[in-house]
Amino acid sequence: MIVILKKNIKQEDVEKLTAQIQTKGVIVNPVIGTEISVLGLVGDTSKIDPSNIEASEIVERVMKVQEPFKKANRMFHPEDTIVDVNGIKIGGKKIAMIAGPCSVESEEQIIGIANEVKECGANFLRGGAFKPRTSPYAFQGLKYEGLELLKKAREKTGLPIVTEIMSPYDIEVFNDNVDVIQVGARNMQNFDLLKELGKIDKPILLKRGLSATIEEWLMSAEYIMSGGNENIILCERGIRTFETYTRNTLDLSAIPAVKKLSHLPVVVDPSHATGKYWMVEPLAKAAIAIGADGLIIEVHNDPANALCDGPQSIKPSKYKKIFEELKVIANAVGREI
Ligand code: PEP
Ligand code: MN
C-alpha cells in the first residue's frame, strides 16, 4: 500500500501518521521528495482500511498495490485448487458437468431428469429446494421436502447433489444432506451466511452477485476461506448491465481474470446468464473454450410448464446434443468431459 502525502506538510505530522500506521503491524518506509512525498507500507496490509488513512488531513490519496484477498489469491497459492466432491474433482483436467432443473418440483420430475442427465454423462445433479424469488407470490421451492427428493434422486443415480442455501439456520441440514452447497447470486454478500459456511468443510459453489465486481466476489470467497473452509468453486452467472435483451450479461472475461487472480476453480452458468434456452449452447461452448472448469446448466423435461426458469431451461435431448459437442471443444483446449 502506498500513501501519497500532500505538499508542504509538517515533518511532525508525517511522524504522527507513521506511528499511527505502525500500530497496525506494518513497516512504514517514508520517501520524502521535493515534489511528492510518499509512505510505502510493507507487510500484511489486509487489516488496514485505506479510507481511515485517507481521513488524515496530510494524505492526498492511498493506492493499493496488492489485492485485499489473501487465501483466494494465486500469489500465495500458485497451483490450481482442485475441489474434491466425494471423489469427483472440480478444477482438474476434467470439466464438471452440473445439470438439472431450476427447482425440485416432484419426485417423478427430479428422478426423471436426474436419470436423463446422468445418461448424457453429467456428473452432478442440480436442483433448488429453497428458491430466492423476486416475488413473494412466486413458487418458493419445496424446501425440506425438496432436499429429501434430491436425496432420493442421488440414491437412484449416484449423482452428487448441488443445491442452494438461503439461511444460516439451515447450515446443519445442508451439511448433513447435500454434496455441494450453492450460495446464490442474491446471497453472495450475506456475510453472516458466508462466515457460517467457513466453519464447515463442505464444498461451496459461490455464485457471483448480480452486480458484483470480481474483487467483491473474491472477497466473498475470502470470507468463507478465512473461516477455514477452502473448498470453494466460483460460478460466473452473468452480471447486470445496461443490456436488457438477455436476463444478464455473461462476463466471459471474468474467467481468465479470475484464473489469473485466484487459484480457485470457476464454473459458468449460461442459463441464468442469458435467460434464453437457445443461448445456452453457444455460451456453454464459449465458456469451455475460454477455460471454465465446469458448467451448471438448467435442464427440464417440460420447460413450458416449469415452476421456475422455464424460458432458460433446455430439454434433456438438447443437453445430450450439447454434451457431445462440448467434448470436442474440451479436447481442443486440453481438457476432458
Ligand atoms: C439458481 O441457480 O437457480 C439461481 C437462483 O441462480 P442465481 O443465484 O445465479 O440467480
Ligand atoms: Mn434458476
Side-chain angles (χ1 to χ4, degrees):
M1 195 174 278
I2 294 170
V3 179
I4 302 169
L5 302 172
K6 287 185 180 158
K7 286 183 183 166
N8 309 321
I9 48 174
K10 289 195 212 125
Q11 178 62 23
E12 63 184 89
D13 287 337
V14 178
E15 280 164 15
K16 245 194 247 165
L17 179 66
T18 302
Q20 182 200 322
I21 297 172
Q22 275 167 341
T23 63
K24 305 280 181 201
V26 293
I27 297 165
V28 181
N29 290 320
V31 182
I32 309 297
T34 47
E35 280 302 308
I36 211 164
S37 295
V38 300
L39 302 177
L41 276 47
V42 183
D44 181 7
T45 55
S46 59
K47 294 194 177 64
I48 297 181
D49 181 349
S51 58
N52 283 344
I53 300 177
E54 267 171 355
S56 161
E57 283 179 354
I58 64 163
V59 172
E60 184 65 44
R61 70 194 154 96
V62 176
M63 283 166 59
K64 290 189 289 179
V65 289
Q66 242 181 33
E67 294 88 12
F69 43 93
K70 302 286 170 223
K71 295 228 173 224
N73 202 318
R74 194 180 276 282
M75 203 187 299
F76 308 112
H77 187 299
E79 63 288 349
D80 287 343
T81 281
I82 298 178
V83 175
D84 189 313
V85 187
N86 313 336
I88 305 174
K89 311 261 195 299
I90 304 185
K93 188 169 182 193
K94 203 161 160 57
I95 304 283
M97 293 295 280
I98 310 166
C102 180
S103 318
V104 180
E105 297 173 8
S106 67
E107 180 168 342
E108 194 192 354
Q109 176 244 20
I110 193 66
I111 290 177
I113 297 174
N115 278 324
E116 296 211 70
V117 297
K118 166 140 196 204
E119 221 169 272
C120 298
N123 36 18
F124 292 88
L125 173 68
R126 67 146 287 150
F130 294 82
K131 295 304 304 174
R133 305 302 300 276
T134 303
S135 165
Y137 309 116
F139 174 60
Q140 303 286 310
L142 295 181
K143 305 197 169 81
Y144 300 103
E145 188 197 336
L147 288 184
E148 289 307 312
L149 297 180
L150 281 166
K151 281 164 66 182
K152 276 195 184 165
R154 175 176 58 198
E155 225 172 80
K156 293 252 189 268
T157 59
L159 291 178
I161 50 184
V162 182
T163 193
E164 178 169 355
I165 191 166
M166 284 176 46
S167 161
Y169 300 118
D170 288 326
I171 294 218
E172 210 179 305
V173 181
F174 273 68
N175 197 24
D176 290 346
N177 292 289
V178 318
D179 303 294
V180 177
I181 302 179
Q182 176 175 326
V183 175
R186 289 155 191 82
N187 271 312
M188 188 205 84
Q189 287 187 317
N190 180 341
F191 300 117
D192 283 344
L193 177 63
L194 302 180
K195 281 184 209 160
E196 290 303 315
L197 291 169
K199 296 179 187 163
I200 57 175
D201 62 4
K202 185 74 67 180
I204 309 294
L205 183 105
L206 178 64
K207 287 197 156 195
R208 183 176 180 182
L210 302 178
S211 302
T213 64
I214 289 171
E215 187 172 295
E216 285 164 342
W217 184 20
L218 291 173
M219 287 307 282
S220 289
E222 192 76 15
Y223 257 93
I224 305 172
M225 296 175 89
S226 64
N229 184 356
E230 303 196 5
N231 297 313
I232 314 290
I233 304 138
L234 298 165
C235 176
E236 162 61 42
R237 46 77 73 203
I239 47 172
R240 190 161 281 183
T241 67
F242 57 82
E243 182 54 72
T244 55
Y245 183 73
T246 45
R247 182 175 181 183
N248 291 291
T249 298
L250 180 61
D251 184 7
L252 276 175
S253 60
I255 292 113
V258 160
K259 289 265 162 206
K260 184 175 165 67
L261 293 168
S262 178
H263 50 89
L264 295 172
V266 53
V267 306
V268 166
D269 175 346
S271 310
H272 291 87
T274 61
K276 297 185 190 304
Y277 73 91
W278 55 272
M279 278 199 180
V280 169
E281 175 183 335
L283 291 181
K285 289 177 175 171
I288 296 305
I290 208 167
D293 296 299
L295 289 167
I296 176 165
I297 294 179
E298 286 188 343
V299 177
H300 198 283
N301 53 314
D302 182 12
N305 290 301
L307 294 182
C308 183
D309 287 348
Q312 68 195 33
S313 300
I314 57 170
K315 292 185 181 156
S317 53
K318 177 77 173 171
Y319 186 65
K320 188 175 167 58
K321 177 182 169 281
I322 295 179
F323 205 100
E324 293 308 312
E325 292 176 9
L326 286 171
K327 285 182 182 170
V328 181
I329 295 175
N331 287 341
V333 294
R335 307 292 289 270
E336 246 170 45
I337 289 187

